[in-house]
Amino acid sequence: MRVVALDVGSTSVRAVAYDESGAAEPGDAHLVYDDLDADRLVDACRAVLAHVGEGDELAISCFWHSLLPVDERDRPLTPVLTWRDLAGSEPPGLDPDAYHGRTGCFLHPAYWPAKIGRLAAEGVRAARLLSFPDYLLLRLAGEARTSISTASGTGLFDPNALDWDDETLAALGVARTQLAPLSDEPVAAVHPALGDGACSNLGAGCTTSERAAVTVGTSAAVRVLDGRTQLEPRPGLFLYRL
């Protein structure tokens, strides 16, 4: 068994292969990028994967909160909109406290609701709304899926119900058919990406509520993993799924 791990960060992509005992092989790859064109970012991912070589399974971690509107042929209509793109505004029709209580996210431009409203105001008519990792899976394996982890960072998802939040979708005029299917199952041995922040907790060994992981990169965050399956979002804190 050879497992290839791909990490898509905010400024670079990295890949490394592991054997069945979990030992990293020599010859990892790292590529810096400064272009949010979706296809060129896919090409960067392909480049580091080609350097490392094929594996029996491909596991991916990717930056959270990205949005990529695509047309009927799944071609991008804009560059990848990341959490750093704060041009949107708080959408009307959603109560901030109730919204946070359902989704674990905030009515903040980093999340999808503000971005979707901005796209509509700019006349962008998307057939589907994907996260970049959904699009990456589509290009690598031929099918777009979104993991529970990725979905939980969009601002459209209920992390307790493990489903899209109907009230938020209705307020935004978004149909479920415009979103990638929710699934953690692999496509042709390629696993839908998990949120990189949660993966960093795993890598640091911070897997219980007694230990916090601090990451300092393009942004900084303190995260704690909690093993309970039902949690009420606490005021001022986000709540995502690993």
Side-chain angles (χ1 to χ4, degrees), residues 59-130:
I60 306 171
S61 67
C62 186
F63 49 78
W64 254 320
H65 322 304
S66 64
L67 174 60
L68 183 67
V70 298
D71 64 15
E72 292 80 1
R73 297 178 298 163
D74 286 327
R75 301 308 306 161
L77 297 171
T78 70
V80 179
L81 305 178
T82 72
W83 55 268
R84 290 182 290 174
D85 189 322
L86 304 179
S89 59
E90 183 176 308
L94 289 170
D95 175 82
D97 292 334
Y99 171 80
H100 177 249
R102 294 193 313 274
T103 67
C105 298
F106 301 95
L107 290 178
H108 184 278
Y111 298 103
W112 280 27
K115 288 179 166 60
I116 290 171
R118 168 193 159 191
L119 291 173
E122 293 175 350
V124 177
R125 299 292 179 257
R128 291 212 285 178
L129 299 164
L130 305 178

Side-chain angles (χ1 to χ4, degrees), residues 25-182:
E25 297 180 2
D28 60 300
H30 179 218
L31 183 62
V32 175
Y33 70 89
D34 59 3
D35 186 346
L36 288 173
D37 177 271
D39 289 316
R40 285 194 283 271
L41 184 49
V42 170
D43 288 343
C45 294
R46 291 187 188 275
V48 294
L49 291 173
H51 181 88
V52 170
E54 293 187 2
D56 300 293
E57 304 278 339
L58 174 59
I60 306 171
S61 67
C62 186
F63 49 78
W64 254 320
H65 322 304
S66 64
L67 174 60
L68 183 67
V70 298
D71 64 15
E72 292 80 1
R73 297 178 298 163
D74 286 327
R75 301 308 306 161
L77 297 171
T78 70
V80 179
L81 305 178
T82 72
W83 55 268
R84 290 182 290 174
D85 189 322
L86 304 179
S89 59
E90 183 176 308
L94 289 170
D95 175 82
D97 292 334
Y99 171 80
H100 177 249
R102 294 193 313 274
T103 67
C105 298
F106 301 95
L107 290 178
H108 184 278
Y111 298 103
W112 280 27
K115 288 179 166 60
I116 290 171
R118 168 193 159 191
L119 291 173
E122 293 175 350
V124 177
R125 299 292 179 257
R128 291 212 285 178
L129 299 164
L130 305 178
S131 293
F132 174 73
D134 309 342
Y135 185 75
L136 177 62
L137 184 64
L138 175 66
R139 295 300 167 218
L140 293 180
E143 183 178 337
R145 293 181 181 177
T146 194
S147 69
I148 295 296
S149 178
T150 294
S152 72
T154 62
L156 305 186
F157 189 77
D158 184 330
N160 285 308
L162 298 181
D163 197 5
W164 301 112
D165 181 60
D166 286 325
E167 187 170 338
T168 301
L169 296 184
L172 298 172
V174 172
R176 284 171 174 259
T177 54
Q178 292 179 271
L179 306 172
L182 288 165

